[in-house]
Amino acid sequence: MGHTRGENQQSKEPEELSVFGYACKLFRDDRKAFSIDEGEHLIPWMGDSSLLIDRYDGRGHLFDLSKYDASHVKRAELSEEDKQMEAWCDEERYLELKNDLAEKKMYEEEEWKRYYQSLSEGFNAVGFSYDHQHHQDYMETQVQEDDAPHSQHGYLHPSLVQTHTPSLT
């Protein structure tokens, strides 16, 4: 099944295939077919009758191939920067031999899915601070808000009760 615009949405309906064409007439010409099969329409390339090409072949415009020959090409010495670039290109070129990119992409997609799901669910977790001073400050503000020794329900957690000893001096 091919890809559609909504690639992420899986469609259970098969895709439709639309085929159209134009009417044409075929004329049977046995002599022309036989001459094409025999290669009579081919011409020698650069005067060499052992190399036959079609008259519309682009190679017919190439007369002197010596300047394109590998033996005439001079290799320039690469600079350090060019060597590093070549090494980087080779690494990219052969990356899939070492790493399974399809599997890596699948894991990344799964991570993004979990991330977006956590955003849509909201913040269900309670933050926790390892800073003990912050916890004590919070407890002190809670005790100061409650003037009575008991809470609204008649019970106050022991950590919220300040023990105050009167001084005898």
Side-chain angles (χ1 to χ4, degrees):
M1 188 178 290
H3 294 286
T4 60
R5 282 189 188 166
E7 289 180 5
N8 295 337
Q9 300 173 353
Q10 292 182 354
S11 174
K12 294 185 181 187
E13 297 177 17
E15 292 182 14
E16 294 183 25
L17 177 65
S18 177
V19 178
F20 65 94
Y22 299 102
C24 69
K25 289 187 178 185
L26 296 177
F27 298 98
R28 185 176 179 129
D29 188 353
D30 289 336
R31 284 187 299 167
K32 188 70 162 175
F34 183 74
S35 70
I36 290 174
D37 285 342
E38 293 297 314
E40 293 175 5
H41 69 291
L42 300 176
I43 57 173
W45 184 51
M46 295 178 48
D48 187 0
S49 59
S50 66
L51 295 173
L52 299 175
I53 61 171
D54 187 83
R55 65 182 180 162
Y56 299 109
D57 194 325
R59 293 175 289 184
H61 296 284
L62 299 173
F63 299 108
D64 184 20
L65 298 178
S66 62
K67 64 181 179 179
Y68 304 108
D69 210 9
S71 61
H72 290 74
V73 176
K74 296 179 182 175
R75 289 195 157 248
E77 190 63 34
L78 297 176
S79 67
E80 286 300 317
E81 183 179 341
D82 289 339
K83 287 179 183 177
Q84 289 175 348
M85 182 60 75
E86 282 294 320
W88 181 79
C89 288
D90 282 342
E91 182 180 328
E92 284 292 315
R93 189 174 293 131
Y94 304 114
L95 179 65
E96 289 190 56
L97 293 176
K98 293 185 243 177
N99 302 326
D100 187 4
L101 295 181
E103 183 178 353
K104 185 177 179 182
K105 184 177 180 183
M106 181 185 68
Y107 283 123
E108 287 176 2
E109 287 176 359
E110 186 65 30
E111 286 295 320
W112 279 111
K113 224 188 289 184
R114 288 181 184 160
Y115 172 72
Y116 286 125
Q117 184 179 10
S118 70
L119 289 179
S120 68
E121 291 176 356
F123 297 99
N124 295 334
V126 176
F128 180 78
S129 174
Y130 289 99
D131 183 15
H132 185 67
Q133 181 63 33
H134 177 69
H135 179 70
Q136 285 180 347
D137 293 343
Y138 175 76
M139 293 300 169
E140 287 175 6
T141 56
Q142 289 290 13
V143 171
Q144 289 173 358
E145 288 175 3
D146 294 334
D147 290 336
H150 299 288
S151 71
Q152 294 173 354
H153 302 289
Y155 175 76
L156 191 60
H157 192 274
S159 67
L160 296 177
V161 176
Q162 286 184 338
T163 55
H164 186 279
T165 55
S167 62
L168 298 174
T169 58

